[in-house]
Amino acid sequence: MSEVGRLPSSCESVAQFNAALLEWLARAEPGATLGSAHSKTMTTVQLGDERCELRGGSTREGVWAYLARALGRRGDFAVVKSTKGVVHRVSLGDSLERIPGFYLYTSTAHDHAKVIASRDGDPFDMIDLHLKFNQALAHLHATGHQRLRVYPAAADLGLRFNVLLAEDMVREDEAWRARPVWRWNGGDRVGDLPIRPSTPVSEIARAMIADAEDTGIGTDWSYGGWYAEVVATAVSLRSVPRFEGGWRLVPVGIHLPSPPPPTTGLPEQR
């Protein structure tokens, strides 16, 4: 198998990485590889918080398979097990599976397979996961579920996220005793739905209330407007709302105005 052309020593974006591979693919013949040795790093690309190395053993067929997913904007970047069982090989797609013949690796090994970046290379971590939750609740408000409230607070293992009914939020300091409509118990799923950068907010919203006896149908535009502004600010600053003696954004530490009290006379659907 032959090596064809040269790639830039590093790529500063996924778009540049894809363009370089596309140019290489146009010149490569069947059976070609990126380099003469699998251990040789041909180029690097930043994916989330990881600087990833593309190895010379990558084949024309493997590069083609990767580009088909990348240009089709299918799925997100994930770190998965290599053929030797080490969780440091990078894949792209809707499932956490290797791309045969495409050898892109993170610089460090991970404990388990997981999504590490969006298809554009943007990071995806716990902050981004909680932003998805907040965006999903804002979507529910926009579609008529305005009796739903959120009470995000500090917890031993990070940040709690409970979705409650407005009538159970009269006293925020006792909100955790109420039965939630939905509660985040850790992990990266809402029910059976995995949460990834490309997961539509509307699907997350539906999953949140899928098992709820009362989905919070009602009208309270004051709260809905307040929360929409909070979420928009949080997304722009890549930060999450938290209640801890008052509302603020974490980790930037910006204090937020308190939400308006629940509108009286909200229809109850219990």
Side-chain angles (χ1 to χ4, degrees), residues 137-149 164-167 215-225 262-263 266:
L137 184 54
H139 176 84
L140 287 169
H141 289 158
T143 54
H145 303 264
Q146 293 182 357
R147 284 171 50 240
L148 296 179
R149 299 288 183 270
L164 307 170
L165 296 172
E167 49 268 33
T215 62
I217 291 292
T219 303
D220 190 345
W221 290 107
S222 295
Y223 182 89
T263 300
L266 290 173

Side-chain angles (χ1 to χ4, degrees), residues 38-225:
H38 179 74
S39 59
K40 183 179 179 181
T41 297
M42 306 306 297
T43 190
T44 64
V45 62
Q46 189 74 27
L47 299 177
D49 297 325
E50 296 272 2
R51 194 71 187 176
C52 301
E53 302 175 354
L54 182 62
R55 300 289 179 79
S58 298
T59 66
R60 183 182 187 279
E61 291 71 25
V63 171
W64 170 261
Y66 162 77
L67 285 172
R69 300 184 187 192
L71 300 181
R73 300 190 65 78
R74 290 168 47 194
D76 305 293
F77 285 103
V79 60
V80 300
K81 280 187 178 181
S82 69
T83 53
K84 296 182 179 180
V86 181
V87 185
H88 67 154
R89 186 162 165 179
V90 177
S91 183
L92 174 68
D94 299 321
S95 61
L96 302 182
E97 298 178 353
R98 296 188 294 270
I99 301 175
F102 188 72
Y103 302 109
L104 181 65
Y105 298 100
T106 58
S107 56
T108 58
H110 293 256
D111 294 331
H112 59 277
K114 62 180 180 179
V115 172
I116 59 172
S118 74
R119 61 178 65 122
D120 297 318
D122 296 328
F124 187 75
D125 56 20
M126 195 61 67
I127 287 179
D128 302 288
L129 183 71
H130 278 271
L131 281 175
K132 285 278 194 180
F133 296 158
N134 282 272
Q135 289 173 308
L137 184 54
H139 176 84
L140 287 169
H141 289 158
T143 54
H145 303 264
Q146 293 182 357
R147 284 171 50 240
L148 296 179
R149 299 288 183 270
V150 63
Y151 187 60
D156 293 341
L157 298 178
L159 183 67
R160 293 173 175 167
F161 192 94
N162 262 21
V163 177
L164 307 170
L165 296 172
E167 49 268 33
D168 293 329
M169 287 284 291
V170 175
R171 290 194 59 182
E172 288 180 324
D173 58 342
E174 295 183 359
W176 286 105
R177 299 182 183 181
R179 181 181 179 183
V181 173
W182 180 77
R183 172 181 291 163
W184 181 67
N185 290 315
D188 58 357
R189 292 177 176 267
V190 176
D192 294 328
L193 179 69
I195 310 304
R196 296 173 180 168
S198 58
T199 305
V201 168
S202 59
E203 290 187 15
I204 302 172
R206 284 195 294 270
M208 276 185 175
I209 59 174
D211 299 324
E213 296 178 5
D214 186 338
T215 62
I217 291 292
T219 303
D220 190 345
W221 290 107
S222 295
Y223 182 89

